[in-house]
Amino acid sequence: MNILDELRSRFEPVLAEWTNDPSSVIEMLKASQDAKFGDYQANFAMPLAARLDGIKPRDLAVQIAEKVDLSDFCEPLEVAGPGFINIKLKQDWLEGLTKQLVPDERLGVSPAKTPQKVVVDFSAPNVAKPMHVGHLRSSVIGDANYRVLQFLGHDVVGDNHIGDWGTQFGMIIFGYKHFLNEAAFQINPVNELARLYRLVNQLSDYHATQNAVPLRQTETENLESKLQTLETTANLTDKKIQKQLKKLKSDIGERKAELTSMQEKLTEFEQDEDLKSKAIAFPDIARQAREETARLHAGDADNLALWKQFLPECLDAIQTVYDRLDIHFDMTLGESFYQPMLADVVADLKQKGLAQESQGAICVFMEGFEAPFIVQKQDGAFTYATTDLATIKYRAEELKADRVLYVVDSRQSEHFQLLFATVKQWGFTELALQHVSFGTILGKNKRPYKTRSGDTVGLESLLDESIQRAHAIVAENDDAKPDGPELSEAERQQIAEVVGLGGIKYADLKHNRDSDYVFDWDKMLANRGDTATYMQYAYARVCGIFRKGNIDRSALRNEQAVLCLTEESERALALQINRYSEILESVAIEARPNYLTNYLFELSNLFSTFYNNCHVLKAEEEQVKTSRLLLCDLTARVINHGLSLLGIRTCERM
Ligand code: ARG
């Protein structure tokens, strides 16, 4: 049962007496932060009184509290301070509710009353190159949302909208035609394609940097002469001038640092004779690679054949990563799938008067947006935007979606705002579209996470390293056990996988997804604190209690036991267990798995407190022992289930 929902639905009609829009304040009824304010607390009397004339918030709170009838499951309401309404659940009711969870496989979570068809668009790497750390967030956040929605009874379609038609393919096609190492390709095609991609990228980068240097130099010189003029002619005691000087100096400093790093890059590149000779041989490589892409898009037989040859290899490579991460998709309809539909999309937009020509390109101009949405470029090429429009049409008409979640980097916010605005005008007004945006993973230097030499971190090597580090920790813990180590090497390895992969996923999911976060091995694999490991240990600890007491858990669940929540820590733990349903629903609405991680962390903490305060196996009375064992069992089941919805596994022994 969703207690929060029940409370809100009791208050809403009562609030209607004071406002036309109770839903606007109903969210101010929440779980309380502190047990001394009850189990839940409602703070809406304050904003409501402010909107009304001549009633004090506290008096309003008293009137609301008198009107609402919660006597079947709550103690009489208490009004506190300026107008807080404190709600405390009745003890016997909470005990009964907790008891009902014991045989319930869904742990009190009812399936959604109105199930929706939800497409989760996630992971979506550009597949011509190996997956790197940048692909972690979309994959993990998308997967967690997918699992939660599915558990809540929605009809969920996980769609990996891979980039399989972009400029990167032009780059590997060009690389293949000019730099292929045949033998390497025979042995491991994906590695060779990745090498070709890097090579072409490096060569284009080299020329781009080379072209940019003189520009930067002129810019810097201009700034320097501006500085000189200012220093010789302006009134240097003027605060404004001082500010201007400071700004100029810092700009010059920045430009110079940038120039130095560009020059260093060029020198390093030129030291490699092979690279240098290739760069000389292909001075216009970026344009040539773009032309290969254009030829592919125009249906050139050779390029199409190469694309068809490369694609399965690329897909195999990403599949290896998904297998390791235990992430599944229902479909992988990449960008190429929508190509045949793009011309019609543009024609339809034009016909509906939504798109028009502007400087040779076809654009959609949306009110409130500075930049237009370009759906066809001057050279006739369709864009990322056109593909996304076709994708929405397909999802609405063919997949019959009610809702689509786009789990994509926040740097694409602008794109999605324009996309969603366009789609509404295009006629898909019923479809709920949500950009589930997320920030960047940073290194300790607060810059995007890179290897020491400045390369992007491959996703596979990241997973390997995590498992390796987890193994060391697991071994150390095991060796330190008072009665000596308990685990075999195979067990250690298996636990290390669970801990290593869980640690990476959890560290990603626990942050508010909109913010950037710093990648930190030590914090993420710590036994204590807000980590997967901490919860995995809590789970294993409960399993240990049952092992030690030689207790059959399924028999325990069938016992006609009483559940008593006499101790404060027992009651707090039971209440938290019963809140599982409300938490999952909030995750589903906002697509925020960190609500679930917060919840699990609190649950594990409450379990710790309970376990420190209450004897379980050594409880004085048999009845109390059974009741406490049931609480342990429920805690472990919720932790295990909650973690599984985050794509994280547990071990019975650690
Ligand atoms: N492949 C894109 C990228 O790497 C992400 C695609 C996200 N999904 C979408 N429907 N646009 O940036």
Side-chain angles (χ1 to χ4, degrees):
M1 164 178 190
N2 185 330
I3 305 174
L4 183 63
D5 248 13
E6 181 60 30
L7 286 169
R8 285 179 176 170
S9 71
R10 299 277 184 108
F11 272 96
E12 252 193 87
V14 172
L15 296 183
E17 211 166 295
W18 289 279
T19 168
N20 306 330
D21 186 13
S23 63
S24 66
V25 290
I26 199 66
E27 284 183 11
M28 301 188 76
L29 196 171
K30 292 184 183 149
S32 356
Q33 295 298 335
D34 189 327
K36 68 173 182 273
F37 305 128
D39 300 325
Y40 290 84
Q41 193 176 52
N43 301 345
F44 32 58
M46 277 71 83
L48 282 181
R51 285 185 217 165
L52 298 164
D53 234 5
I55 181 157
K56 289 203 188 95
R58 196 180 160 100
D59 296 339
L60 180 58
V62 171
Q63 288 184 38
I64 295 172
E66 273 167 9
K67 280 255 159 73
V68 70
D69 182 12
L70 304 171
S71 56
D72 50 331
F73 71 112
C74 297
E75 301 289 350
L77 298 178
E78 205 185 272
V79 174
F84 301 114
I85 303 173
N86 296 345
I87 306 163
K88 186 159 179 171
L89 304 171
K90 280 186 174 161
Q91 186 74 1
D92 52 350
W93 184 80
L94 186 60
E95 286 172 351
L97 196 69
T98 312
K99 182 102 204 278
Q100 281 173 28
L101 296 182
V102 172
D104 181 2
E105 274 184 24
R106 295 190 56 89
L107 294 161
V109 184
S110 336
K113 284 182 209 96
T114 38
Q116 286 188 317
K117 179 97 175 199
V118 188
V119 175
V120 184
D121 177 324
F122 71 111
S123 195
N126 297 327
V127 296
K129 51 180 180 176
M131 284 175 85
H132 56 80
V133 62
H135 297 117
L136 185 70
R137 301 213 73 185
S138 177
S139 307
V140 168
I141 297 171
D143 181 52
N145 279 302
Y146 178 98
R147 289 171 190 255
V148 170
L149 286 163
Q150 190 169 56
F151 178 62
L152 290 178
H154 297 288
D155 182 0
V156 194
V157 179
D159 185 9
N160 193 0
H161 186 78
I162 53 172
D164 59 356
W165 196 243
T167 49
Q168 300 179 357
F169 275 93
M171 291 164 76
I172 54 176
I173 290 172
F174 184 87
Y176 186 90
K177 289 182 180 172
H178 297 90
F179 309 123
L180 180 71
N181 176 339
E182 189 77 50
F185 188 74
Q186 290 308 326
I187 297 167
N188 188 333
V190 180
N191 278 357
E192 176 58 8
L193 291 179
R195 183 190 72 85
L196 291 172
Y197 173 80
R198 275 196 305 273
L199 177 60
V200 175
N201 206 20
Q202 230 179 344
L203 292 169
S204 333
D205 242 19
Y206 171 75
H207 292 301
T209 312
Q210 229 182 11
N211 293 338
V213 166
L215 277 173
R216 277 283 177 289
Q217 251 155 358
T218 323
E219 265 173 35
T220 321
E221 280 158 19
N222 287 346
L223 287 176
E224 276 174 327
S225 76
K226 212 167 153 190
L227 178 71
Q228 212 177 16
T229 320
L230 211 60
E231 273 174 339
T232 47
T233 59
N235 173 7
L236 297 182
T237 54
D238 184 341
K239 282 257 152 52
K240 245 173 144 178
I241 299 287
Q242 287 174 1
K243 232 175 150 183
Q244 232 176 329
L245 284 173
K246 204 171 152 198
K247 168 97 177 45
L248 265 174
K249 282 182 187 158
S250 108
D251 282 355
I252 292 169
E254 252 173 50
R255 294 264 145 69
K256 283 193 165 162
E258 210 184 326
L259 259 174
T260 317
S261 101
M262 285 161 89
Q263 269 147 349
E264 276 169 11
K265 222 167 113 182
L266 294 177
T267 318
E268 196 191 316
F269 180 96
E270 284 159 8
Q271 269 159 9
D272 186 323
E273 285 303 325
D274 181 45
L275 276 179
K276 197 176 160 190
S277 70
K278 287 194 171 85
I280 292 166
F282 298 97
D284 209 5
I285 188 165
R287 186 183 52 81
Q288 286 174 295
R290 276 200 302 276
E291 280 170 7
E292 295 296 359
T293 312
R295 268 199 280 280
L296 170 69
H297 290 178
D300 174 86
D302 288 344
N303 282 10
L304 211 53
L306 285 176
W307 179 79
K308 283 193 179 140
Q309 187 190 351
F310 298 159
L311 191 60
E313 306 288 355
C314 298
L315 292 180
D316 279 355
I318 62 172
Q319 191 54 44
T320 319
V321 179
Y322 295 134
D323 287 345
R324 291 187 69 181
L325 286 171
D326 190 20
I327 288 179
H328 307 270
F329 300 94
D330 300 295
M331 45 181 64
T332 297
L333 297 183
E335 292 176 6
S336 65
F337 176 79
Y338 298 97
Q339 293 317 300
M341 309 171 198
L342 302 186
D344 286 347
V345 167
V346 174
D348 194 41
L349 289 169
K350 272 186 174 159
Q351 199 239 323
K352 296 206 164 103
L354 263 168
Q356 51 200 274
E357 205 185 302
S358 166
Q359 297 171 14
I362 311 289
C363 304
V364 178
F365 291 92
M366 277 285 132
E367 228 184 274
F369 293 92
E370 246 173 62
F373 210 32
I374 301 173
V375 291
Q376 192 167 14
K377 294 194 278 190
Q378 278 153 317
D379 62 4
F382 300 113
T383 64
Y384 184 56
T386 332
T387 311
D388 258 334
L389 286 166
T391 309
I392 289 189
K393 187 173 157 72
Y394 182 84
R395 287 171 177 166
E397 291 175 354
E398 304 300 319
L399 302 181
K400 309 261 182 280
D402 300 305
R403 181 181 178 199
V404 186
L405 303 185
Y406 292 87
V407 190
V408 187
D409 195 310
S410 56
R411 281 170 286 201
Q412 293 191 29
S413 296
E414 178 97 4
H415 165 77
F416 284 107
Q417 282 169 17
L418 261 168
L419 177 69
F420 298 167
T422 305
V423 165
K424 288 285 165 245
Q425 299 220 359
W426 196 20
F428 299 96
T429 47
E430 299 296 298
L431 189 59
L433 300 164
Q434 195 172 357
H435 177 200
V436 181
S437 68
F438 54 80
T440 308
I441 305 183
L442 306 176
K444 284 203 176 139
N445 57 4
K446 301 280 162 71
R447 300 186 159 252
Y449 188 55
K450 294 267 166 72
T451 61
R452 238 176 249 150
S453 56
D455 295 326
T456 47
V457 179
L459 198 43
E460 283 225 77
S461 60
L462 191 80
L463 303 183
D464 290 339
E465 179 163 356
S466 192
I467 294 168
Q468 210 179 346
R469 284 172 181 264
H471 188 278
I473 295 170
V474 170
E476 190 185 309
N477 284 341
D478 193 35
D479 288 338
K481 282 178 187 158
D483 304 323
E486 295 170 5
L487 305 168
S488 68
E489 180 44 40
E491 282 172 315
R492 286 182 176 193
Q493 191 54 43
Q494 195 225 334
I495 298 169
E497 288 252 340
V498 173
V499 170
L501 297 176
I504 288 204
K505 288 186 180 183
Y506 191 91
D508 199 288
L509 293 167
K510 79 170 194 180
H511 295 95
N512 173 348
R513 56 174 165 74
D514 295 302
S515 9
D516 299 342
Y517 76 88
V518 173
F519 194 87
D520 182 337
W521 286 117
D522 297 327
K523 276 194 192 153
M524 109 171 50
L525 294 172
N527 289 343
R528 277 161 201 273
D530 190 8
T531 63
T533 325
Y534 175 58
M535 278 147 237
Q536 286 165 329
Y537 268 109
Y539 176 78
R541 185 131 137 239
V542 178
C543 296
I545 298 172
F546 287 107
R547 262 198 314 275
K548 197 167 155 204
N550 207 359
I551 288 149
D552 176 347
R553 284 168 79 173
S554 48
L556 175 77
R557 288 175 206 154
N558 284 328
E559 239 171 85
Q560 286 307 315
V562 214
L563 223 137
C564 44
L565 305 173
T566 328
E567 295 294 323
E568 218 172 286
S569 60
E570 291 175 303
R571 188 181 187 283
L573 178 61
L575 176 61
Q576 181 75 356
I577 291 171
N578 277 293
R579 292 190 55 213
Y580 190 42
S581 141
E582 80 194 34
I583 297 301
L584 292 186
E585 278 171 41
S586 70
V587 173
I589 293 168
E590 291 183 46
R592 292 192 184 278
N594 65 313
Y595 293 167
L596 179 54
T597 61
N598 282 347
Y599 166 84
L600 292 171
F601 182 43
E602 238 172 274
L603 176 65
S604 307
N605 283 335
L606 289 168
F607 176 73
S608 241
T609 312
F610 154 80
Y611 196 62
N612 288 337
N613 291 347
C614 303
H615 291 300
V616 178
L617 291 173
K618 289 194 197 132
E620 299 75 22
E621 290 168 52
E622 200 53 32
Q623 200 186 350
V624 176
K625 176 174 159 184
T626 311
S627 169
R628 288 182 181 164
L629 282 170
L630 283 172
L631 276 183
C632 290
D633 181 50
L634 282 171
T635 305
R637 284 163 62 195
V638 174
I639 291 179
N640 188 49
H641 194 269
L643 287 178
S644 81
L645 293 183
L646 300 173
I648 298 171
R649 287 176 293 157
T650 51
C651 298
E652 305 235 323
R653 204 190 274 274
M654 280 174 74

